[in-house]
Amino acid sequence: MNASSRITTPFAPGATALEVIDGVDLAGRRAVVTGGTSGIGAETVRALALAGAEVIVATRRPETAGLLASELSRVPGAGPVRAQALELSDLSSVRNFAEGWQGPLDILVANAGIMALPQRVTSAEGWEMQLATNYLGHFALATALLPSMQASGSARMVIVSSGAHRAFPLDLADPQFEQRPYDPWAAYGQSKSADVLLAVGARRWWSEGITANAVNPGYVLTNLQRHLDDDTMRSFGVMDDDGKVKPLPYYKTPPQGAAGSVLLAASPLVAGVTGRYFEDNQEAAVVSGDKGEASGVAAHAVDPTVADRLWDYATDAISR
């Protein structure tokens, strides 16, 4: 990527999911949104369904999608919404979800995630839990659903990353923190670098009509912060002395945070685009990642050689 080829759109950073999809007809299209019961995931589901898509909410607790599905069922023209169980950190759950899928898949939004677990926890497969949930589960899901995306002829995958990736390259020599001391933010940041690398690695699917792009939703207060203690929230400036949580002026609302996901999932403005990273509804510039930049995508996260090495590493992990 270079600056002259970066993709721009007419949408401002504060545009909402409904604004970026206005006028787009998704009737007859089918979408899966992981973690789509709250926050930006729920707003992604809402926007896609209101545009006419059939949306499957893939979540650990399907019952939590009931209110959203009921709300949208009462909107004329909205596509049907239903929930299905999926635990991304459990590869058997991923396989069960994929085996139960029938027919084409047009949109896959890898939205679910966890952040800054205070202690190192591992999945059943031995992966550090943030890397297992944020990256490996989505990699396994996408590869398992590949035939369904191929059947679409023009499928799009959207991977929700974070600006936290810039400071933390993926350590392929010790990705599970088996040798180095565990750090909650390093684990989260490298999992989000892995998410961008997933979009880059998926360039191999472009000839089959499948595109994949990563997006940084910006700062949004959601359930993602549930593992942060009060002192950490106060240090971020989003909690007062009485324990009341409120966003800072530059924070986005969930509908604004979901705009990038919906743009990449459905807008004709990015049709055929793959392997890119977007933020504030524009393709981001490539930055060094070691200078504390406040925006952009780090060069380490869009390195095709690293992306291919990670792809091989993950392929081996899910085939055991």
Side-chain angles (χ1 to χ4, degrees):
M1 290 186 291
N2 56 64
S4 62
S5 67
R6 290 209 312 273
I7 295 164
T8 60
T9 79
F11 300 112
T16 67
L18 291 179
E19 288 171 342
V20 303
I21 205 174
D22 184 42
V24 175
D25 182 5
L26 296 180
R29 308 286 279 179
R30 306 173 74 207
V32 169
V33 179
T34 67
T37 61
S38 66
I40 64 173
E43 296 303 327
T44 300
V45 170
R46 179 176 284 108
L48 296 177
L50 290 176
E54 174 188 352
V55 185
I56 290 77
V57 181
T59 175
R60 290 185 299 114
R61 296 190 297 150
E63 68 276 7
T64 60
L67 287 177
L68 179 59
S70 177
E71 169 201 328
L72 291 167
S73 71
R74 297 190 293 270
V75 180
V81 174
R82 60 183 175 86
Q84 188 169 335
L86 174 66
E87 171 54 74
L88 285 163
S89 66
D90 180 350
L91 293 184
S92 65
S93 176
V94 175
R95 285 192 292 271
N96 288 339
F97 182 95
E99 288 170 359
W101 184 267
Q102 295 182 343
L105 174 61
D106 304 292
I107 298 167
L108 173 58
V109 183
N111 168 81
I114 54 176
M115 180 175 73
L117 297 184
Q119 304 296 327
R120 181 180 181 269
V121 179
T122 58
S123 69
E125 289 77 22
W127 277 53
E128 187 278 317
M129 191 61 76
Q130 292 180 82
L131 193 59
T133 302
N134 299 349
Y135 166 74
L136 184 65
H138 284 127
F139 174 84
L141 182 64
T143 53
L145 290 172
L146 178 59
S148 296
M149 291 193 286
Q150 290 169 326
S152 164
S154 59
R156 300 190 189 189
M157 180 165 62
V158 181
I159 304 110
V160 178
S161 183
S162 165
H165 86 274
R166 286 188 290 269
F168 299 102
L170 176 68
D171 186 346
L172 272 173
D174 184 25
Q176 316 305 337
F177 290 87
E178 296 169 308
Q179 307 300 324
R180 53 186 167 138
Y182 174 77
D183 177 88
W185 291 107
Y188 176 68
Q190 77 156 12
S191 77
K192 291 304 179 177
S193 283
D195 283 340
V196 186
L197 290 164
L198 173 54
V200 176
R203 69 192 184 284
R204 68 197 64 207
W205 294 341
W206 184 82
S207 63
E208 300 176 78
I210 300 168
T211 61
N213 295 285
V215 62
N216 170 19
Y219 292 97
V220 188
L221 286 177
T222 67
N223 289 337
L224 184 65
Q225 292 87 25
R226 64 188 178 276
H227 296 292
L228 304 185
D229 59 30
D230 289 356
D231 287 342
T232 300
M233 293 291 282
R234 289 190 179 99
S235 72
F236 288 166
V238 294
M239 178 180 283
D240 62 23
D241 291 338
D242 297 324
K244 183 179 180 181
V245 175
K246 60 180 181 179
L248 294 169
Y250 57 88
Y251 273 47
K252 294 182 179 182
T253 65
Q256 292 171 327
S261 294
V262 173
L263 175 81
L264 293 171
S267 175
L269 297 175
V270 291
V273 173
T274 198
R276 311 294 183 100
Y277 173 98
F278 284 69
E279 58 188 8
D280 289 336
N281 302 314
Q282 315 294 330
E283 185 184 352
V286 178
V287 297
S288 68
D290 59 3
K291 297 180 180 179
E293 294 98 341
S295 62
V297 59
H300 65 248
V302 290
D303 184 325
T305 300
V306 177
D308 290 342
R309 289 178 61 201
L310 175 59
W311 194 282
D312 292 342
Y313 182 84
T315 299
D316 179 66
I318 66 174
S319 62
R320 290 176 184 173

